[in-house]
């Protein structure tokens, strides 16, 4: 047997605690058919906190439709960029009917929203196409802020990072030198800072995304069923409990629970997840908060709270406020092939099942802009009596302001 | 259901043990198996075979960590199946095919030296993992136990692929040094 094969097989004998550790440290944003059910069970944790005012109009305090943003006269042309190589999984949801797929998206089709802001993704380096250098000061500041919110005295904490130790650096440097090369720039880099405190570990990455690991995981009172496949009602009840218990961590003025999901795994299990967003302000602000200002909680397989996550995308660089198209116009563009999807070719207008407005906020998006996410029934992917609903994204910003309007070219895009 | 309770069901020879195991671990077993075989049906078959193996092993075994125990079985089954497919693909390799098929029957046919070497290797790898920083360890285990792609690991841990690659590169170097130091395998 070859040595590498022997090593691969020897990995089967590793301590089970490491298998356990690696199995629970995961998250995913979508259910992936290609990756079967593990991604479905993974924790969806897109969140954020402390969003400031980013809309061009002043905050409306009187009602949902007060002071809605107006489109700029000549906003700059937007470049969506190449998002074909972002490692996105197949975004499809299994359900008996599309009505089972729920969330608390504040947008609805009857709203008359004429314009929404578009932001530069400051994490993204335009020239290289790679993430920018981490801002360590911001990372540490964020870490200390979360420490305070978790009741950890920031004066007592020791901030650590994942920079490799000297001996490793020396070894690798010598290895490169031995083949006549130098260590590539940024090879030794810090990608996260963290603090270990009593019962928790707080980690902030270079995108200022924060994860709180509860160690050990916290068992909720007996009456709450915090499990992957708890019912909607049970999950809502857990949400109410978490909202009160972790008020400071959530740190949102008017936290609204978003119990979302309702899709099924291949095993036929239906599940929901919990996050909170700020529902304070006018409808445009609610949309921004729903997409960017969220705090999520997740259970482990034993039904105990083991992770909370807070994301805080930097929305400080607004490109402009853009006129947006209607949902009906978006569906027409979908039929013309002007969409982004990880599913197959759009099967036809008769299969459109649901439309909602969302911001795509992945860290590799060049800009944070609104899209219509249109759920389409995929008849060829029906599984075990369940329908599969694929997500198709059509830019909500008017086409004349986009330099590289997506056009489906027969591949995953 | 709690793992201890599931193991009790196995010991009580209750078929509910299989149902409960599938309910709880089907996803993870299929996920790992799919990483190796890249086929939905094969991965489901491996998961089903895993339950059978577990049924035959418990009792007498009483695994401390049921998840790890099942994942190890699924990984072995998947690697064996992959080996079988690889042999089939070579065409005409019937001897290899037969050897693959018979491998299960002769699994205990290893020398004392090989067994000792395997034992030392296992110890050395566990020691190496214990010394790795947590994040690097998770990346290493997800790559070389779960056999996840770099892209999936990066996505799962909110890292860039280049972060994952450089962590793996460092970890492999560290493992090589560790094995050399322990006098194992080199």
């Amino acid at each position: 047997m070859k040595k590498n094969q022997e090593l691969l097989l020897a990995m089967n004998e590793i301590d089970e605690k490491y298998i356990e550790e690696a199995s629970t440290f995961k998250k995913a944003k979508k259910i992936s058919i290609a990756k079967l059910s593990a991604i479905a069970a993974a924790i969806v944790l897109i969140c954020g906190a402390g969003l400031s005012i980013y809309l061009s109009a002043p905050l409306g305090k009187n009602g949902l439709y007060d002071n809605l943003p107006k489109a700029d006269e000549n906003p700059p042309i937007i470049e969506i960029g190449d998002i074909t190589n972002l490692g996105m999984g197949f975004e499809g949801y299994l359900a008996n009917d599309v009505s089972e797929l729920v969330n608390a998206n504040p947008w609805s089709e009857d709203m008359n929203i004429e314009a929404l802001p578009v932001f530069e993704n400051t994490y993204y380096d335009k020239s290289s196409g790679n993430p920018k250098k981490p801002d360590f000061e911001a990372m540490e500041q964020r870490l200390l802020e979360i420490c305070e919110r978790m009741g950890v005295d920031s004066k007592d904490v020791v901030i650590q990072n994942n920079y490799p130790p000297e001996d490793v650096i020396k070894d690798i440097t010598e290895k490169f030198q031995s083949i006549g090369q130098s260590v590539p720039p940024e090879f030794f880099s810090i990608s996260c800072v963290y603090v270990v405190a009593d019962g928790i570990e707080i980690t902030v990455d270079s995108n200022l995304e924060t994860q709180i690991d509860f160690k050990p995981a916290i068992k909720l009172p007996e009456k709450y069923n915090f499990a992957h496949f708890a019912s909607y009602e049970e999950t809502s009840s857990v949400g109410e409990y978490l909202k009160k218990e972790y008020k400071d961590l959530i740190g949102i003025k008017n936290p609204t629970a978003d119990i979302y999901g309702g899709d099924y795994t291949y095993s036929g299990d239906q599940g929901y997840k919990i996050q909170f967003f700020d529902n304070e302000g006018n409808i445009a602000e609610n949309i921004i908060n729903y997409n960017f200002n969220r705090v999520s909680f997740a259970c482990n397989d034993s039904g105990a709270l083991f992770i909370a996550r807070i994301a805080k995308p930097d929305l400080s660089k607004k490109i402009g406020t853009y006129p947006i198209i209607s949902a009906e116009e978006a569906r027409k563009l979908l039929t013309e092939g002007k969409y982004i999807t990880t599913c197959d070719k759009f099967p036809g207008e008769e299969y459109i099942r649901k439309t909602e407005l969302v911001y795509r906020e992945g860290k590799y998006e060049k800009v944070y802009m609104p899209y219509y996410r249109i759920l389409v029934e995929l008849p060829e992917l029906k599984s075990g009596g369940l329908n599969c609903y694929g997500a198709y994204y059509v830019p909500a910003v008017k086409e004349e302001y986009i330099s590289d309007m997506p056009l489906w070219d027969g591949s995953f895009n | 259901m709690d793992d201890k309770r599931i193991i009790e069901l196995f010991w009580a020879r209750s078929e509910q043990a299989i149902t409960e195991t599938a309910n709880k671990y089907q996803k993870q077993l299929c996920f790992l198996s799919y990483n190796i075989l890249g086929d939905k049906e094969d991965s489901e078959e491996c998961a089903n075979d895993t339950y059978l193996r577990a049924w035959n092993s418990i009792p007498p075994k009483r695994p401390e960590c049921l998840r790890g125990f099942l994942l190890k079985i699924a990984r072995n089954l998947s690697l064996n199946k992959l080996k079988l497919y690889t042999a089939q693909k070579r065409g005409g390799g019937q001897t290899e095919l037969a050897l693959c098929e018979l491998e299960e029957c002769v699994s205990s046919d290893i020398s004392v030296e090989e067994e000792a070497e395997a034992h030392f290797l296992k110890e050395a790898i566990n020691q190496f993992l214990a010394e790795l920083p947590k994040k690097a360890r998770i990346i290493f285990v997800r790559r070389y136990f779960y056999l996840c792609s770099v892209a999936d690991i990066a996505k799962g841990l909110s890292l860039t692929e280049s972060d994952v690659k450089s962590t793996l590169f460092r970890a492999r170097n560290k493992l090589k040094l560790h094995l050399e130091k322990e006098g194992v395998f080199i």
Side-chain angles (χ1 to χ4, degrees), chain A residues 71-269:
Chain A
D72 296 345
E73 273 193 25
N74 287 304
I77 300 295
I78 301 166
E79 187 186 346
I80 294 175
D82 180 15
I83 55 167
T84 58
N85 191 26
L86 302 184
M88 296 188 300
F90 176 93
E91 189 181 359
Y93 305 90
L94 293 174
N96 293 300
D97 186 83
V98 76
S99 61
E100 289 182 298
L101 305 176
V102 296
N103 60 43
N105 190 339
W107 178 89
S108 67
E109 197 160 336
D110 55 0
M111 287 172 175
N112 184 24
I113 298 183
E114 294 172 352
L116 282 171
V118 173
F119 307 97
E120 184 182 321
N121 180 357
T122 57
Y123 179 73
Y124 183 91
D125 187 331
K126 277 182 190 169
S127 55
S128 69
N130 292 320
K132 282 182 181 168
K133 276 187 180 179
D135 180 346
F136 299 117
E137 199 178 321
M139 287 161 72
E140 290 190 2
Q141 192 183 338
R142 180 75 178 145
L143 190 58
L144 295 175
E145 181 197 326
I146 301 299
C147 281
E148 293 287 347
R149 281 161 63 173
M150 285 300 295
V152 177
D153 191 342
S154 58
K155 288 173 197 150
D156 297 337
V157 301
V158 178
I159 297 178
Q160 303 178 68
N161 63 54
N162 63 344
Y163 192 75
E166 285 300 321
D167 59 328
V168 173
I169 292 176
K170 185 170 172 285
D171 288 344
I172 293 173
T173 306
E174 285 172 0
K175 196 168 281 289
F176 272 99
Q177 284 169 349
S178 70
I179 54 169
Q181 291 184 12
S182 54
V183 179
E186 309 302 324
F187 188 85
F188 304 118
S189 61
I190 299 170
S191 59
C192 72
V193 292
Y194 62 95
V195 158
V196 179
D198 186 23
I200 52 170
E201 187 174 316
I202 306 171
T203 307
V204 174
D205 72 11
S206 52
N207 197 30
L208 301 186
E209 200 167 278
T210 306
Q211 178 165 308
I212 297 114
D213 289 90
F214 297 94
K215 295 181 174 181
I218 296 171
K219 190 82 184 159
L220 269 52
E222 197 68 36
K223 64 178 179 175
Y224 297 108
N225 181 18
F226 192 18
H228 295 307
F229 304 117
S231 69
Y232 183 88
E233 290 71 22
E234 288 171 328
T235 310
S236 296
S237 176
V238 170
E240 286 305 309
Y241 171 81
L242 292 173
K243 187 161 83 173
K244 284 180 197 157
E245 199 69 15
Y246 293 95
K247 188 181 165 198
D248 292 339
L249 173 63
I250 294 169
I252 291 174
K253 191 175 177 187
N254 183 19
T256 296
D258 176 20
I259 310 300
Y260 67 100
D263 49 331
Y264 293 75
T265 66
Y266 270 94
S267 314
D269 298 310

Side-chain angles (χ1 to χ4, degrees), chain B:
Chain B
M1 181 183 282
D2 182 60
D3 282 354
K4 279 184 184 168
R5 177 76 188 121
I6 295 177
I7 292 167
E8 279 170 17
L9 288 171
F10 273 111
W11 273 77
R13 310 314 285 160
S14 163
E15 288 181 13
Q16 199 195 339
I18 305 282
T19 311
E20 294 297 340
T21 305
N23 282 342
K24 192 165 180 183
Y25 292 115
Q26 170 93 359
K27 302 182 296 293
Q28 292 166 53
L29 298 174
C30 284
F31 171 70
L32 189 151
S33 184
Y34 186 86
N35 282 341
I36 296 169
L37 296 164
D39 184 272
K40 180 174 172 275
E41 283 182 13
D42 281 342
S43 61
E44 285 172 354
E45 193 181 310
C46 273
N48 288 333
D49 289 348
T50 301
Y51 307 140
L52 183 64
R53 289 289 181 97
W55 178 262
N56 291 333
S57 310
I58 313 171
K61 287 188 178 168
R62 193 181 280 279
E64 280 184 21
C65 169
L66 183 61
R67 187 214 304 260
F69 178 78
L70 295 167
L71 285 167
K72 283 180 176 181
I73 294 175
R75 188 177 184 270
N76 256 339
L77 288 169
S78 305
L79 287 172
N80 281 341
K81 197 180 269 282
L82 181 69
K83 203 171 163 187
L84 185 73
Y85 286 169
T86 309
Q88 279 171 336
K89 266 190 180 173
R90 284 185 197 133
Q94 290 304 311
T95 310
E96 280 191 76
L97 271 177
L99 281 172
C100 286
E101 287 159 14
L102 291 172
E103 200 164 64
E104 285 181 7
C105 313
V106 294
S107 59
S108 61
D109 185 20
I110 56 170
S111 69
V112 174
E113 289 80 5
E114 283 171 331
E115 199 168 72
E117 193 182 341
H119 174 75
F120 288 131
L121 182 56
K122 171 189 158 186
E123 293 297 311
I125 290 177
N126 277 318
Q127 196 187 346
F128 156 76
L129 287 173
E131 289 168 6
L132 266 190
K134 182 182 171 186
K135 203 156 196 170
R137 183 167 61 232
I138 287 168
I139 290 172
F140 192 88
V141 172
R142 289 191 73 78
R143 179 73 185 123
Y144 297 114
F145 180 85
Y146 287 91
L147 299 161
C148 294
S149 69
V150 168
D152 280 348
I153 297 169
K155 190 179 168 195
L157 301 178
S158 298
L159 299 169
T160 64
E161 287 188 34
S162 127
D163 282 338
V164 174
K165 281 180 190 167
S166 58
T167 303
L168 288 170
F169 179 78
R170 284 178 223 148
R172 284 196 303 268
N173 276 302
K174 211 168 180 179
L175 175 61
K176 186 171 184 296
L177 293 172
H178 181 75
L179 293 176
E180 279 173 350
K181 189 177 143 201
E182 296 295 317
V184 179
F185 195 67
I186 302 297

